[in-house]
Amino acid sequence: LLSELHADGLAHNVVTLGAAITAAERGHHWELAIDVLRGASKDQILPNIVMYNATISASEKGRHWELATGLLAELPARALRPDALSFNATISACQKGRRPSHHK
């Protein structure tokens, strides 16, 4: 969808990219969430805390605690201040990442 918007000449912005990350997070597509977050700089968009939190939450749902903690660690370098959601999603990712998955 984002590539279609770009092909149609519509510029991405924080709102469209944030919505894409949130949709990826809700759909349990952590890979897509991280791709959108990392691709924001291509469009010269500075990710905000909402985009980071949604990506951390996607990492949590995917049981990727290493990714969640790495994203949390990036926030100060991006001049972003972690909030309760940042910490809670990272803690949850660490808890889930330690347990074996019982579903496929």
Side-chain angles (χ1 to χ4, degrees):
L1 179 61
L2 288 174
S3 57
E4 288 176 20
L5 288 173
H6 199 70
D8 289 340
L10 298 173
H12 299 177
N13 58 39
V14 172
V15 175
T16 59
L17 294 180
I21 292 171
T22 299
E25 178 256 332
R26 289 182 181 162
H28 299 269
H29 298 289
W30 66 270
E31 302 98 336
L32 181 57
I34 194 71
D35 286 347
V36 173
L37 182 73
R38 297 292 183 229
S41 59
K42 265 193 329 190
D43 293 319
Q44 299 179 339
I45 295 170
L46 296 174
N48 62 19
I49 192 65
V50 174
M51 293 168 69
Y52 265 90
N53 284 346
T55 307
I56 292 169
S57 291
S59 303
E60 174 234 342
K61 288 179 177 161
R63 298 178 173 271
H64 291 280
W65 65 269
E66 301 98 336
L67 181 57
T69 57
L71 291 167
L72 182 68
E74 283 180 28
L75 294 177
R78 300 267 186 188
L80 296 172
R81 186 174 184 179
D83 59 17
L85 184 57
S86 311
F87 291 116
N88 288 337
T90 302
I91 290 166
S92 181
C94 291
Q95 291 172 333
K96 289 180 180 179
R98 293 182 45 171
R99 286 189 240 145
S101 178
H102 295 293
H103 56 79
K104 296 189 181 203

